[in-house]
Amino acid sequence: MALLKRYNSNPVMEISNGEYREYNSSYLYQLDGRFIRRYNSTYLYELDGNLIKEYNGLPILEFDGKYVRRYNSTYIHEVSGNLIKAYNGLPEYEIDGYLSGRELMGLIAILFA
């Protein structure tokens, strides 16, 4: 289990076993194989290698393990250790706990797509 917190602030999201929910609230999203969907509902995004795509659609984001950028465009965020920072900027989020690579990709899709 991991907590997503605003940098130096309170938790905003809990992530556990591919399920994402608001902190101390109900579930919002699920990681279902390579897809992100609303909890027990419609599919939103597809994780395809280093691409985050609209469900049955075009790529939106690329994530190379360190940098997040709009597809074939500008870098927007950087993942550095347990911090998610604006590209060449200040930290915005911190992750308290362990996320698998897929869970991290899903989190990036949820936050920035």
Side-chain angles (χ1 to χ4, degrees):
M1 184 181 112
L3 294 176
L4 177 71
K5 302 188 289 189
R6 292 259 181 217
Y7 185 65
N8 283 337
S9 189
N10 296 327
V12 293
M13 187 179 288
E14 293 178 55
I15 301 113
S16 180
N17 297 322
E19 297 182 328
Y20 305 79
R21 69 180 191 163
E22 287 184 50
Y23 184 66
N24 284 336
S25 187
S26 59
Y27 286 100
L28 298 174
Y29 302 97
Q30 282 179 300
L31 178 60
D32 184 5
R34 65 179 199 196
F35 300 100
I36 298 292
R37 66 180 184 168
R38 293 205 187 279
Y39 194 73
N40 288 331
S41 186
T42 58
Y43 288 95
L44 301 171
Y45 308 111
E46 178 181 357
L47 309 179
D48 185 9
N50 69 333
L51 298 177
I52 297 168
K53 303 191 298 190
E54 295 176 6
Y55 179 65
N56 285 334
L58 299 173
I60 304 168
L61 299 172
E62 294 178 79
F63 177 58
D64 65 9
K66 182 164 178 80
Y67 297 104
V68 179
R69 71 179 194 163
R70 300 268 172 228
Y71 182 66
N72 282 337
S73 187
T74 59
Y75 289 96
I76 56 173
H77 285 85
E78 175 183 355
V79 177
S80 180
N82 69 330
L83 298 177
I84 299 174
K85 305 186 293 185
Y87 183 67
N88 288 332
L90 298 174
E92 293 181 12
Y93 297 99
E94 58 185 312
I95 299 166
D96 184 9
Y98 173 78
L99 290 180
S100 70
R102 278 284 200 216
E103 287 175 326
L104 180 59
M105 286 275 294
L107 180 62
I108 288 167
I110 291 165
L111 293 175
F112 306 121

